[in-house]
Amino acid sequence: MQHLLDITHEQLTAWLKERGYPAYRAAQIRKWLFQSRVETFEEMSDLPKALRSELASAFTLWTSKIATHSVAHDGTEKLLLELADGGRIECVLLRDGERRSICISSQVGCAMGCVFCASGLDGVDRNLTTGEMIEEMLRLARLLPAEERLSHIVVMGMGEPLANLDRLLPALDAATREDGLGISHRRITISTVGLPPQIDKLIDRDTRFHLAVSLHAPNDELRNRLVPVNKNIGIAPIIAAADRYFDQSGRRLTFEYVLLGGLNDARQHAEQLAALLRGRTALLNVIPYNPVAGLPYQTPSAAAIRQFREILERAGINVQFRERKGDEINAACGQLRRSTPVVALEVPS
Ligand code: SF4
């Protein structure tokens, strides 16, 4: 059976037309899915019974199961989803004041190989489908009470989003459509290690999403070690592509920098980073590392964090140090997936 979330509004309208149903039925179905948050076709009570059963025989609504659902004291909730083929991905709901942000995955595993990241330890299995990514959004939306709505999306979970762009963009289209989740483009961030040809595709398609580039090192020698895919790209072409995206979209760029104790947190790294970003309309997000079991990397010391911040601030860089949310539920990407053995998976009823 086909995943209903994998077909476009136009394809659904055509499917309905072939069976003699008017186009407005497609809008009703979308409303039930995205706004009324129903779980089954049977609950779509303003559709004729015959249509509900035709939909149920032709399409599946959910292809994943919730394997684990963890809740942290700060309100962060994390789902480990088990896909139809047994692959596992993570997605997170974060509460911050009025904000209801979600972080979704774009691939099963990741090929970028960042040495400090749990998601990339086993390489990439496959791209997620458009429907699977929309399903992440809908599953997280269903964790909210009826009167609350998702406000922000970051595509920063497992995987490199720009390596799966052709499936990601239709999923984000469903997120932004008025009859979808209705989330503004400006509240959606795509995070990438920096793949210049794919950034240029975003430019060609005239997208208006925020772009966050994960640098993690201020020079190629160090970045080649921390983000191995950098050996084939280099920092300068990535920054140039990000600048082109800023020129076209007008969206302020974000650069991400995971601060690893004793590796990329020294005075000279902060100075090089300041030189690299100076003069750009950009925000630098520094994230003190969250240790991963089995990996030899350390959280930076308080003194190193202070020094790093002072150097960047003195250089006039717009920098913020992000607090780590959901630490006790392994909310850093890829950690829950690795720490949950397949045999221990429980599917809540
Ligand atoms: S940090 Fe992101 S890009 Fe790097 S391996 Fe992990 S999931 Fe992939």
Side-chain angles (χ1 to χ4, degrees):
M1 277 202 290
Q2 203 171 4
H3 192 184
L4 184 65
L5 299 172
D6 255 335
I7 65 169
T8 62
H9 183 76
E10 292 67 33
Q11 288 168 323
L12 177 59
T13 306
W15 183 90
L16 289 162
K17 195 173 166 202
E18 275 167 27
R19 284 152 188 83
Y21 294 106
Y24 72 83
R25 295 290 183 202
Q28 285 177 302
I29 294 167
R30 289 185 73 81
K31 191 161 178 233
W32 282 115
L33 278 176
F34 287 94
Q35 276 143 47
S36 305
R37 303 178 188 171
V38 296
E39 298 288 323
T40 64
F41 291 114
E42 198 42 47
E43 292 167 85
M44 300 181 178
S45 54
D46 57 1
L47 301 184
K49 263 195 169 310
L51 173 54
R52 280 183 259 168
S53 57
E54 277 181 81
L55 284 164
S57 348
F59 298 106
T60 176
L61 262 186
W62 304 105
T63 58
S64 70
K65 293 183 287 192
I66 297 176
T68 62
H69 175 193
S70 324
V71 184
H73 285 113
D74 62 12
T76 302
E77 296 187 53
K78 182 161 188 165
L79 298 178
L80 175 67
L81 299 181
E82 186 178 350
L83 306 172
D85 63 359
R88 290 181 292 162
I89 55 166
E90 301 163 327
C91 50
V92 181
L93 167 69
L94 300 115
R95 293 178 164 83
D96 187 7
E98 297 290 299
R99 282 185 178 217
R100 297 292 177 265
S101 308
I102 59 171
C103 175
I104 61 167
S105 295
S106 54
Q107 297 181 306
V108 182
C110 184
M112 300 299 114
C114 305
V115 293
F116 49 82
C117 169
S119 294
L121 284 178
D122 304 322
V124 67
D125 289 341
R126 67 172 175 88
N127 288 323
L128 292 184
T129 65
T130 296
E132 286 168 334
M133 285 182 269
I134 299 173
E135 200 168 317
E136 289 181 81
M137 299 173 199
L138 295 184
R139 289 227 179 258
L140 292 164
R142 280 157 172 72
L143 300 179
L144 295 173
E147 68 279 9
E148 290 185 9
R149 293 263 172 271
L150 297 180
S151 62
H152 294 74
I153 297 178
V154 291
V155 191
M156 201 181 269
M158 188 182 294
E160 164 53 54
L162 295 191
N164 191 16
L165 196 57
D166 291 342
R167 293 171 194 82
L168 174 65
L169 289 180
L172 295 183
D173 185 51
T176 53
R177 284 176 68 118
E178 268 311 307
D179 61 356
L181 291 171
I183 299 174
S184 152
H185 286 77
R186 65 178 59 246
R187 293 178 163 197
I188 295 178
T189 301
I190 300 176
S191 171
T192 175
V193 295
L195 307 178
Q198 300 301 92
I199 294 173
D200 285 330
K201 272 195 189 171
L202 288 178
I203 295 170
D204 291 345
R205 296 188 195 182
D206 199 21
T207 64
R208 289 286 188 267
F209 303 113
H210 274 290
L211 189 67
V213 177
S214 299
L215 273 180
H216 308 322
N219 61 67
D220 280 325
E221 188 272 324
L222 183 57
R223 195 167 194 262
N224 289 348
R225 282 199 279 143
L226 300 181
V227 185
V229 72
N230 190 66
K231 289 177 203 150
N232 309 323
I233 308 171
I235 292 176
I238 293 170
I239 302 254
D243 285 345
R244 288 195 294 278
Y245 187 75
F246 170 74
D247 289 342
Q248 179 262 357
S249 69
R251 292 275 187 255
R252 183 186 65 181
L253 296 169
T254 300
F255 291 94
E256 306 274 340
Y257 194 100
V258 169
L259 201 62
L260 298 149
L263 258 184
N264 64 357
D265 62 344
R267 165 176 292 278
Q268 75 268 20
H269 298 132
E271 289 167 351
Q272 289 169 3
L273 191 56
L276 200 60
L277 300 184
R278 193 170 285 128
R280 291 194 161 72
T281 306
L283 171 70
L284 173 64
N285 257 329
V286 180
I287 308 125
Y289 183 64
N290 188 15
V292 174
L295 290 181
Y297 304 101
Q298 306 297 327
T299 301
S301 68
I305 294 175
R306 198 165 46 246
Q307 172 180 262
F308 209 82
R309 180 197 288 265
E310 281 169 7
I311 292 169
L312 287 156
E313 284 177 347
R314 266 205 309 275
I317 303 296
N318 182 13
V319 58
Q320 71 178 16
F321 280 65
R322 272 220 319 251
E323 67 177 296
R324 298 177 310 186
K325 281 187 164 280
D327 267 9
E328 82 257 35
I329 56 166
N330 291 327
C333 66
Q335 291 188 20
L336 182 66
R337 173 175 174 255
R338 290 189 67 80
S339 64
T340 309
V342 179
V343 289
L345 291 177
E346 280 176 28
V347 183
S349 53

